[in-house]
Amino acid sequence: MSFVSTKNNKFTPAVTIFLITLAVYVALLFATRHEHAGLKPPLPYPLPRESLTIPEDGGDDAIEYAALAENLLTHTVFSLSPASPFVPETLRTPGYPFFVAIVLGIFKNYIAVLFAQILLVALTGSVIYRMTFALLP
């Protein structure tokens, strides 16, 4: 079973699922980016380092993950503290901040993080589809 059929150049269902998921998520990204006009946007694009202030009550998850990723890149510590002494973060697991840090390290842009997430979601749907048919008789 291949991802792209060679007969008549038709897409397999896995590729169709990937393309539809990709289109829906990209459409949602652009539809919701301007939804908060006049209100505090969820994240400024690109996110400047000085805007990474963490509210006392915990605050916005996106800001916290961005701060963790920035600290991983700049100070190689897993902390929300903006400067030394760095207090280790105990609430968040390091998986997603490491993912954000890797994408930021490569592309230096938070929009690239959004698109990387969209690609992972679209690929996940296709992989689950293929695994289902591989496991079923």
Side-chain angles (χ1 to χ4, degrees), residues 94-131:
Y96 184 69
F98 272 109
F99 166 76
V100 174
I102 289 168
V103 176
L104 279 179
I106 295 169
F107 296 104
K108 312 277 190 267
N109 192 319
Y110 282 91
I111 295 175
V113 175
L114 295 174
F115 281 107
Q117 290 174 195
I118 290 170
L119 284 174
L120 284 177
V121 168
L123 283 172
T124 301
S126 295
V127 168
I128 289 173
Y129 173 83
R130 289 184 51 91
M131 285 174 45

Side-chain angles (χ1 to χ4, degrees), residues 5-90:
S5 175
T6 56
K7 261 189 191 176
N8 300 329
N9 294 328
K10 292 183 180 178
F11 292 120
T12 64
V15 173
T16 305
I17 290 170
F18 172 78
L19 292 174
I20 290 172
T21 306
L22 186 66
V24 167
Y25 272 85
V26 169
L28 285 173
L29 172 68
F30 288 108
T32 58
R33 182 164 176 205
H34 301 292
E35 178 180 281
H36 303 285
L39 303 174
K40 177 187 167 224
L43 274 179
Y45 300 107
L47 187 64
R49 176 72 178 134
E50 58 273 3
S51 72
L52 295 177
T53 56
I54 309 301
E56 293 297 320
D57 64 348
D60 192 7
D61 283 342
I63 299 294
E64 290 180 5
Y65 283 121
L68 288 168
E70 291 281 343
N71 278 340
L72 283 169
L73 287 171
T74 57
H75 305 292
T76 64
V77 294
F78 189 68
S79 172
L80 287 173
S81 304
S84 185
F86 295 105
V87 178
E89 172 62 22
T90 57

